[in-house]
Amino acid sequence: MPRIYLSPSLQEYNPFYGGGSEEDVMNLIADAMEPYLAADGIEYLRNAPEMTLGQAIADSNNSNVDFHLAIHSNAAPPPVAGTRRGPVVYYYATSPYGRQMAELIADELREIYPDPSKVQVLPTTTLRELRRTNAPSALVEVAYHDNPEDAAWIRGNIDEIGKALSNAVAAYFGLR
């Protein structure tokens, strides 16, 4: 049975447009994923809101998982805050498995995001959650939580986003 570690944002200090935090909303997406993953026979573990990022990474590394999926929402830098839109899926630059998952996630998000041309896949070596996890990993920035349209899209599509991410996970493990 494939095992995945779900790591929704731990950033309770990151305000989500319209109320709440990035942590609150990303946990709703992880919650929405659980029944889809279970239906596909995928075992899942996940971080807890009271963890630090270091604790979540250690928990993932100690859990013998096949993949680590970080679930976040984005914010633009102060000079352009609230003006950017679209999902961005990151993978560790030298990880073919991370890239494969990132591409699958992007394909699923293109099916549900209002402007598919804004869905990006980007390599990186700087994100701790990709650099320090033992399992292959990807980090999805579902959309911009500081943009009113993106924030409304995320809130209005929690289940659809959870299903899209779960579909990508199932495809990655060859279950679809």
Side-chain angles (χ1 to χ4, degrees):
M1 171 180 276
R3 291 169 49 108
I4 189 163
Y5 193 90
L6 301 178
S7 186
S9 174
L10 297 166
Q11 299 174 25
E12 76 268 359
Y13 54 83
N14 221 349
F16 206 93
Y17 185 89
S21 70
E22 177 185 3
E23 179 183 68
D24 297 333
V25 179
M26 296 307 105
N27 270 285
L28 293 174
I29 291 172
D31 292 345
M33 291 178 71
E34 290 183 1
Y36 295 110
L37 294 172
D40 283 326
I42 300 167
E43 186 179 345
Y44 56 87
L45 298 100
R46 64 189 274 189
N47 66 15
E50 62 274 4
M51 289 179 163
T52 65
L53 181 57
Q55 289 169 329
I57 290 168
D59 190 42
S60 174
N61 289 344
N62 292 327
S63 296
N64 195 32
V65 295
D66 301 302
F67 202 89
H68 179 99
L69 179 59
I71 307 161
H72 289 253
S73 55
N74 219 339
V80 292
T83 64
R84 294 191 179 161
R85 296 197 66 197
V88 182
V89 190
Y90 293 97
Y91 65 94
Y92 194 76
T94 60
S95 172
Y97 299 114
R99 181 178 183 171
Q100 178 187 4
M101 179 71 86
E103 294 286 356
L104 289 166
I105 290 169
D107 288 345
E108 289 290 333
L109 289 174
R110 284 185 189 104
E111 295 293 321
I112 62 171
Y113 186 72
D115 184 351
S117 71
K118 292 203 180 294
V119 179
Q120 300 178 66
V121 174
L122 297 174
T124 186
T125 57
T126 61
L127 295 173
R128 223 166 104 196
E129 213 161 353
L130 301 179
R131 195 177 71 236
R132 298 208 183 258
T133 51
N134 294 340
S137 56
L139 185 148
V140 57
E141 299 275 10
V142 174
Y144 282 82
H145 63 252
D146 66 341
N147 178 286
E149 291 85 5
D150 267 9
W153 177 77
I154 294 170
R155 285 186 193 280
N157 292 281
I158 297 289
D159 190 66
E160 291 81 359
I161 295 166
K163 183 176 182 181
L165 296 179
S166 299
N167 286 345
V169 171
Y172 175 84
F173 287 123
L175 301 171
R176 293 193 181 222

